[in-house]
């Protein structure tokens, strides 16, 4: 491969950027063509001579300063088409081209072809001079009335090819990438779509490996897009882009993302943020993780003055602190938000004690701001940090000393003295620990973490809740799931074809790290109830829909059609495997980007697009109802808050905890832990409507309506505050094949397994069988590992995996209620079946 300009390679083959000029220079036509070629020939000889580069450069400059515009064009074509084997000739050529552009801008701009861009960047050369020249050249072209879309596309293809990527957002930081954003900014006709530009800029601002200077053009482009969108739509868009980047890569995103908040010119609106975070309202662990990520951003000065219109009001706190104040205000409005808000504040206090430079120095000021100007929070949220303020922070930071005084004044008593960050108690702020540490009748008593087998005891509450069995309320719930699939209308025999429910036999091709989606699709296909119901399901639009509702409805209709087609394809195909390309192509870009996605997030995304529990499909197949109960210790009255769920998340203990307890947890025990009674701390008082005052209380959960199919997610991925990273708990769990919830017995039929050493890598596969009897009576378990279907090794479900299988961990479990009515025969619309058969007949197996 050549190290400089020109090879014999054709333009149509840009793969050899290391000097792939297309052809020899063309011949100029007209009376001056011969003279022009003579000037170009003299310049060619100069390029081939040996001697000091500076001397040859001076000669070249003198030569081209005396030539005509026609000569200049011929010289440019000679430089771009001349095969040169020495790297120094490339440097000489770039400088000569720059001088030609300065002297003859119109002629050079008019005759420079987009295909020549590849040749400016040979492998191994310094790209900075060539990128500088290209920037000036494209600005010149546009100023002379030429659009440069093709040139912009060529630069993008150059970056993608060199990075061996298909997604421009994933191209690593480089001088050429930095110059591309500068070109987008200064030469608008070079840009791709507005959406693509904004998506790339947000990702590249989040790139921790990129320099701050390279992000200035990205910020300027984001500001232009913000202004185009206007208020408040632009604010919502910008904040959504910021939060998306933090959630996409919580571990290693750049704190430079906060520069995007400067662009707003005002504090982020809590109303807008509330809409953006509404999808996480029920997942407080993820909200806490998001908070911790942003806590670790030391406040930065505003971007350079080159970004027009960026002015931050001087009376406001730094943008990142304004964002966190708005976030805390939203958190405080969530149901049962005290724990979340307390966790957020304690994380800030912990950071302040860490001596981590500017981040630690900024934390006390932010805590004071939140207490002074943030949402009004109950005392039990703030008071746990008093010991830390007294023992450490108040002596080091004036803001912490002021906060300590405020908290003491609010407490109306002497400073607290405690035993640790969360364990301190003061008689003036709540008295001794509650003496009623036992549970209501038949409810598991609170016990040591993850010991799981404590016997029930009699409650000291004056009135206990109804008798409980494994969290199921036998007094209010039926003996079987309320959602009877027979209540839904089956498809008529006319216009449909009856098909058998088959055992696992068709694999799914892995297309660019799509194992997470393959595993989930296999689980849906083996759920007979879902397979039967999807073909008769029609998504309905909400009443008085918003624009977002209409967009969700249109996409949801598409998802229904895609799943109908995919289920039919897996049912009908004569091949051993098929693909999910249609689904991936219709889904958001992240699902075909090549990045591994979390399968639980994918499940929730698909369920949401199918209408979740608001529409019949998911409501009938997977939805159940929980009731969160609280009981006043003083009068015994019970308050209930219903909650519909489509999956239950069970916390998995750490390997260390299991080793200490010498008890391998089971899914039955983890479920009991999730539903168990808990006596709330004495400083966490709840308002009792009967007593009309705040009282000590206890809380627990009951499953009042169990689902026909139960989805359980074993929460193995947690944020480690010490490592500031997500860690995977590879704790062995014995997966109970039968699971009991009150009078209902559930049978395990499908498991999605995550194999890998940590949270940032790995692979998914499924293990299972059909949820109900298959047509051939096959009750064997199979492993569905992408395109491979093979007999399953069930040892990893026993909680005693071999060393080889230690990293293969059950992650998502699917259970079928044995008391649920049987699923009716499967009928597929004839039109769908015919379409699938035609595609199958045309297919050529690779």
């Amino acid at each position: 491969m050549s190290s400089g300009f020109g090879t014999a390679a054709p333009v149509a083959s840009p793969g050899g950027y290391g000097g792939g000029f297309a052809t020899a220079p063309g011949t100029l036509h007209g009376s001056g063509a011969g003279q022009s070629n003579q000037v170009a020939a003299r310049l060619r000889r100069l390029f081939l001579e040996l001697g000091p580069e500076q001397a040859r450069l001076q000669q070249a400059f003198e030569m081209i300063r005396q030539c005509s515009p026609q000569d200049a064009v011929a010289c440019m074509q000679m430089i771009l088409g001349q095969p040169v084997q020495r790297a120094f000739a490339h440097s000489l050529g770039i400088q000569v081209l720059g001088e030609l552009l300065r002297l003859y801008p119109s002629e050079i701009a008019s005759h420079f072809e987009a295909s020549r861009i590849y040749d400016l960047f040979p492998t191994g050369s310094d790209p900075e001079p060539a990128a500088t020249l290209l920037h000036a050249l494209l600005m010149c072209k546009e100023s002379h009335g030429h659009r440069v879309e093709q040139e912009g596309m060529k630069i993008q293809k150059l970056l993608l090819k060199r990075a061996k990527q298909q997604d421009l957002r994933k191209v690593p930081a480089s001088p050429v990438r930095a110059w591309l954003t500068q070109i987008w900014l200064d030469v608008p006709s070079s840009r791709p779509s507005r959406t693509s530009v904004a998506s790339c800029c947000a990702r590249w601002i989040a790139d921790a490996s990129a320099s701050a200077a390279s992000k200035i053009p990205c910020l300027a482009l984001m500001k232009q897009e913000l202004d185009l969108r206007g208020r408040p739509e632009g604010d919502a868009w910008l904040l959504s882009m910021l939060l998306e980047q933090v959630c996409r890569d919580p571990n290693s995103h750049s704190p430079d993302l906060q520069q995007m908040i400067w662009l707003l010119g005002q504090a982020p609106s809590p109303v807008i943020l509330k809409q953006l975070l509404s999808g996480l309202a029920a997942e407080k662990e993820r909200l806490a993780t998001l908070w911790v990520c942003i806590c670790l951003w030391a406040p930065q000065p505003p971007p350079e003055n080159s970004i027009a219109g960026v002015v931050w009001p001087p009376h406001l706190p730094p943008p990142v602190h304004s964002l966190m104040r708005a976030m805390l205000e939203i958190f405080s409005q969530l149901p049962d938000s005290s724990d979340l808000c307390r966790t957020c504040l304690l994380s800030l206090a912990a950071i302040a004690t860490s001596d981590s430079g500017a981040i630690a120095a900024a934390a006390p000021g932010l805590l004071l701001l939140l207490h002074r100007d943030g949402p009004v929070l109950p005392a039990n949220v703030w008071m746990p940090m008093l010991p830390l303020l007294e023992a450490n922070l108040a002596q080091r930071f004036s803001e912490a000393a002021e906060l300590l005084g405020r908290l003491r004044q609010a407490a109306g008593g002497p400073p607290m003295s405690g035993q640790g960050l969360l364990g301190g108690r003061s008689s003036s702020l709540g008295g001794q620990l509650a003496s009623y540490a036992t549970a209501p009748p038949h409810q598991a008593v609170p016990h040591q973490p993850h010991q799981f087998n404590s016997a029930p005891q009699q409650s000291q509450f004056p009135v206990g809740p109804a008798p409980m069995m494994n969290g199921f309320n036998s007094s209010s719930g039926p003996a079987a799931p309320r959602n009877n699939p027979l209540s839904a209308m089956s498809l008529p025999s006319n216009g449909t074809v009856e098909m058998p429910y088959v055992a696992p036999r068709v694999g799914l091709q892995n297309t660019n790290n799509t194992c997470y989606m393959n595993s989930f699709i296999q689980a849906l296909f083996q759920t007979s109830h879902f397979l039967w119901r999807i073909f008769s399901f029609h998504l309905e639009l909400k009443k008085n829909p918003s624009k977002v509702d209409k967009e969700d409805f249109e996409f949801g209709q598409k998802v229904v059609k895609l799943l109908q087609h995919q289920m039919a394809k897996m049912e009908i195909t004569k091949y051993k495997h098929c693909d999910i390309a249609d689904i991936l192509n219709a889904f958001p870009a992240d699902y075909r980007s090549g990045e591994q996605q979390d399968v639980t997030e994918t499940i929730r995304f698909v369920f949401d697009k199918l209408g979740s529990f608001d529409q019949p499909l998911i409501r009938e197949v997977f939805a159940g109802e929980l009731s969160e109960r609280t009981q006043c210790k003083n009068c015994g009255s019970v308050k209930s808050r219903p909650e519909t769920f489509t999956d239950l998340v069970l916390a998995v203990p750490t390997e260390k905890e299991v080793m200490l307890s010498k008890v391998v947890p089971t899914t039955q025990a983890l479920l009991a832990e999730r539903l168990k009674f808990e006596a709330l701390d004495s400083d966490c008082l709840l308002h009792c409507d009967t007593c009309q005052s705040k009282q000590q209380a206890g809380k627990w959960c009951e499953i009042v309506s169990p689902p026909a199919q139960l989805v359980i997610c074993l929460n193995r991925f947690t944020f480690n505050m010490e490592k500031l990273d997500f860690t995977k708990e590879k704790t062995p769990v014995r997966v109970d094949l039968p699971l009991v919830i009150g009078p209902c017995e559930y049978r395990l039929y499908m498991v999605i397994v995550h194999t890998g050493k940590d949270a940032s890598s790995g692979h998914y596969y499924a293990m299972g069988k059909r949820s109900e009897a298959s047509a051939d009576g096959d009750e064997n378990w199979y492993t569905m590992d992408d395109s491979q279907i093979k007999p399953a090794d069930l040892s990893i479900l026993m909680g005693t995996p071999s060393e080889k299988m230690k990293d293969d961990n059950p992650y998502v479990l699917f259970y079928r209620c044995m008391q649920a009515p049987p699923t009716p025969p499967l009928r597929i619309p004839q039109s769908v079946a015919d379409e699938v058969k035609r595609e199958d007949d045309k297919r050529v197996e690779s």
Side-chain angles (χ1 to χ4, degrees):
M1 183 177 287
S2 169
S3 61
F5 297 103
T7 67
V11 174
S13 179
Y17 304 129
F21 283 113
T23 61
T27 302
L28 290 175
H29 301 284
S31 59
Q35 178 65 28
S36 297
N37 282 336
Q38 291 178 13
V39 174
R42 290 168 54 200
L43 190 61
R44 181 187 294 112
R45 287 194 297 272
L46 185 62
F47 267 65
L48 297 174
E49 291 176 0
L50 297 177
E53 182 177 351
Q54 193 60 37
R56 290 188 299 124
L57 179 63
Q58 187 63 35
Q59 292 180 50
F61 278 12
E62 291 176 359
M63 190 183 304
I64 62 178
R65 285 168 185 162
Q66 299 174 12
C67 70
S68 67
Q70 246 182 345
D71 296 337
V73 173
C75 289
M76 176 190 70
Q77 293 177 331
M78 185 283 301
I79 294 170
L80 295 176
Q82 177 68 28
V84 179
Q85 299 299 327
R86 294 178 293 275
F88 68 80
H90 176 265
S91 174
L92 177 63
I94 291 294
Q95 295 179 76
V96 173
L97 287 173
E99 185 68 6
L100 285 169
L101 180 63
R102 187 183 70 83
L103 295 171
Y104 309 101
S106 178
E107 289 77 10
I108 298 300
S110 299
H111 288 83
F112 183 86
E113 298 176 357
S115 59
R116 296 297 196 182
I117 285 177
Y118 298 130
D119 309 318
L120 295 176
F121 300 94
T123 302
S125 67
D126 179 7
E128 191 72 35
T132 306
L133 168 67
L134 184 58
H135 173 254
L137 176 61
L138 297 185
M139 286 188 66
C140 182
K141 286 196 75 166
E142 190 172 70
S143 69
H144 284 82
H146 303 286
R147 293 187 62 81
V148 294
E149 295 98 332
Q150 292 299 315
E151 287 83 350
M153 289 177 60
K154 295 292 184 184
I155 305 172
Q156 295 171 48
K157 289 181 179 178
L158 170 70
L159 286 167
L160 290 168
K161 185 68 176 181
R162 284 195 167 175
K164 297 180 180 179
Q165 288 286 351
Q166 295 181 339
D167 187 340
L168 189 61
R169 295 171 300 176
K170 297 181 182 179
V171 169
S174 68
V176 179
R177 193 185 83 175
W179 274 107
L180 175 60
T181 56
Q182 189 67 52
I183 289 170
W184 282 348
L185 179 63
D186 297 335
V187 191
S189 66
S190 68
R191 302 173 188 172
S193 68
R194 287 167 53 186
T195 301
S196 297
V197 169
S199 183
C200 287
C201 287
R203 179 74 72 96
W204 295 343
I205 293 170
D207 187 351
S209 66
S211 67
S214 71
K215 299 175 183 180
I216 297 301
C218 293
L219 289 164
L221 288 162
M222 297 293 278
K223 181 64 168 64
Q224 289 181 6
E225 182 66 21
L226 174 66
D227 293 340
L228 283 172
R229 290 174 179 264
R231 297 289 174 85
E233 290 80 5
D235 292 25
W237 166 79
L238 190 72
L239 290 170
S240 69
M241 297 292 281
L242 182 150
L243 295 174
E244 177 186 350
Q245 295 307 315
V246 178
C247 295
R248 180 188 62 81
D249 188 4
N251 303 327
S252 55
H253 66 267
S254 170
D256 294 340
L257 280 168
Q258 66 184 279
Q259 295 285 330
M260 293 169 63
I261 313 174
W262 283 97
L263 305 181
L264 294 174
Q266 62 184 22
S269 165
V271 175
I272 292 175
L273 273 174
K274 186 174 183 179
Q275 295 173 347
L276 296 176
L277 296 175
S278 61
L280 299 178
E283 300 181 70
K284 294 187 174 63
E285 297 84 357
R286 295 183 65 189
L287 290 176
T289 299
L290 178 64
W291 172 274
V292 171
C293 289
I294 299 177
C295 280
L296 300 176
W297 296 356
Q300 296 178 351
E304 292 183 358
N305 294 329
S306 58
I307 303 179
V310 176
V311 179
W312 190 260
H315 66 279
L316 291 180
V320 65
H321 288 181
S322 296
L323 172 64
M324 298 185 74
R325 180 173 62 180
M327 289 175 64
L328 190 65
E329 181 175 335
I330 295 164
F331 294 173
S332 69
Q333 298 169 10
L334 297 175
D336 300 326
S337 62
S338 293
D339 288 345
L340 174 60
C341 293
R342 187 186 301 113
T343 299
C344 292
L345 297 176
L346 287 172
S347 66
L348 272 176
I351 289 171
T353 64
S354 66
D355 295 322
S356 53
I359 299 174
L366 177 56
L367 281 169
L368 179 60
L369 168 73
L370 296 174
H371 189 269
R372 184 182 60 215
D373 301 329
V376 177
L377 300 173
N380 68 303
V381 172
W382 284 101
M383 293 309 172
M385 72 173 61
L386 267 177
L388 193 61
L389 291 170
E390 291 175 338
N392 187 307
L393 298 179
Q395 287 75 39
R396 298 167 52 205
F397 301 102
S398 59
E399 299 95 334
E402 181 178 345
L403 177 59
L404 177 60
R406 284 172 165 268
L407 294 180
R408 285 174 172 171
Q409 183 178 4
M416 293 177 66
S417 59
Q419 301 171 352
L421 187 63
L422 293 171
R425 295 292 186 273
S426 168
S427 58
S428 64
L429 295 172
Q432 302 299 315
L433 286 172
S435 59
Y436 58 106
T438 52
H442 305 287
Q443 173 63 39
V445 66
H447 41 66
Q448 295 299 317
H450 305 294
Q451 293 296 319
F452 307 124
N453 292 309
S454 299
Q457 299 180 20
Q458 184 66 30
S459 173
Q460 294 181 26
F461 280 81
V463 180
M468 297 280 294
M469 293 175 59
N470 299 306
F472 179 87
N473 188 341
S474 59
S475 66
S476 60
R482 62 173 182 177
N483 300 318
N484 187 338
L486 294 177
S487 64
M489 184 179 295
S490 296
L491 288 175
S493 57
N494 185 28
T496 63
V497 56
E498 184 171 338
M499 301 293 294
Y501 291 109
V502 295
R505 66 176 186 88
V506 178
L508 297 173
Q509 296 172 4
N510 189 327
T511 308
N512 206 9
N513 289 332
T514 56
C515 56
Y516 65 95
M517 183 69 80
N518 290 345
S519 302
F520 175 43
I521 294 295
Q522 290 283 13
L524 290 180
F525 182 69
Q526 292 303 322
T527 303
S528 298
H529 191 172
F530 180 90
L531 180 61
W532 167 77
R533 191 65 176 92
I534 187 66
F535 291 104
S536 62
F537 174 62
H538 298 282
L539 196 67
E540 295 189 2
L541 182 62
K542 294 180 179 178
K543 294 182 179 179
N544 303 316
S546 65
K547 180 180 178 182
V548 173
D549 292 333
K550 292 178 181 178
E551 292 174 351
D552 277 348
F553 172 70
E554 292 175 2
F555 184 73
Q557 286 184 307
K558 187 181 298 183
V559 173
V560 172
K561 294 295 184 186
L562 289 168
L563 286 174
Q564 288 175 346
H565 188 271
Q566 184 67 41
M567 299 293 109
K569 182 161 59 174
M570 296 172 70
E571 182 72 28
I572 292 172
T573 183
K574 57 180 175 290
Y575 294 101
K576 293 182 179 180
H577 57 78
C578 60
D579 62 35
I580 58 170
D582 292 339
I583 293 176
L584 296 173
N585 290 334
F587 273 37
D590 284 346
Y591 288 88
R592 55 182 181 276
S593 65
E595 288 187 351
Q596 182 74 272
Q597 305 293 326
D598 186 291
V599 71
T600 61
E601 294 179 5
T602 302
I603 292 172
R604 290 166 191 148
F605 174 83
V606 173
F607 281 6
D608 179 69
K609 298 311 173 186
L610 293 174
S612 192
F613 48 76
D614 291 328
Q615 303 254 3
L617 175 62
I618 300 303
R619 183 171 65 245
E620 294 171 9
V621 180
F622 292 110
E625 184 174 301
L626 275 172
S627 180
E628 293 188 2
R629 307 286 175 96
T630 56
Q631 183 179 33
C632 174
K633 180 192 176 185
N634 184 52
C635 70
S637 61
V638 176
K639 184 186 296 184
S640 301
R641 184 171 69 87
E643 176 183 336
T644 304
F645 67 90
T646 55
D647 65 84
L648 287 178
V649 179
L650 306 183
V652 175
T654 65
E655 288 183 275
K656 184 178 180 181
E657 289 173 320
V658 171
M659 289 178 64
L660 290 175
S661 69
K662 298 180 180 180
V663 176
V664 175
T666 67
T667 48
Q668 188 77 63
L670 293 176
L671 178 61
E673 187 81 354
R674 167 70 174 82
L675 303 171
K676 74 175 185 179
F677 175 84
E678 177 186 1
L680 300 180
D681 291 343
S682 58
D683 62 348
C684 186
L685 304 180
L686 298 181
H687 180 80
C688 175
D689 294 335
T690 303
C691 299
Q692 287 298 301
S693 61
K694 288 189 174 182
Q695 298 288 339
Q696 290 181 271
K699 67 176 183 178
W700 69 98
C701 288
E702 298 175 5
I703 298 177
V704 296
S705 181
Q709 276 74 217
L710 172 66
V711 181
I712 289 179
C713 302
L714 300 179
N715 187 16
R716 294 184 175 275
F717 301 104
T718 56
F719 190 77
N720 188 309
M721 285 293 295
E722 295 180 1
K723 298 179 180 179
L724 298 179
D725 197 2
F726 280 90
T727 58
K728 175 186 175 182
E729 296 295 348
K730 294 183 284 187
T731 310
V733 174
R734 193 178 81 236
V735 180
D736 294 300
L737 300 183
L739 186 73
V740 177
I741 301 179
C744 297
E745 179 180 343
Y746 285 79
R747 289 283 179 175
L748 184 74
Y749 68 91
M750 182 66 64
V751 178
I752 296 178
V753 178
H754 179 271
T755 175
K757 296 184 180 299
D758 54 45
S760 60
S761 63
H763 174 66
Y764 289 100
Y765 63 89
M767 297 170 54
K769 62 176 184 175
R770 181 149 291 285
S771 62
E772 299 171 62
S774 61
D776 59 1
D778 189 350
E779 288 291 321
N780 294 313
W781 277 62
Y782 295 89
T783 293
M784 289 149 272
D785 191 351
D786 291 329
S787 59
Q788 296 184 16
I789 306 292
K790 56 188 178 183
D793 178 3
L794 299 183
S795 62
I796 65 170
L797 305 183
M798 301 299 105
T800 55
S802 64
E803 191 64 26
K804 180 181 178 181
M805 303 288 285
K806 188 176 181 181
D807 293 334
D808 290 34
N809 310 116
Y811 188 30
V812 185
L813 316 176
F814 292 78
Y815 286 87
R816 162 78 177 170
C817 182
M818 302 306 292
Q819 284 75 28
T823 300
L826 174 62
R827 304 199 70 87
I828 297 177
Q830 187 71 56
S831 59
V832 176
D834 290 344
E835 181 183 3
V836 169
K837 288 177 181 177
R838 285 194 298 269
E839 292 175 357
D840 211 52
D841 291 338
K842 293 178 181 179
R843 175 179 165 188
V844 177
E845 189 171 26
S846 57

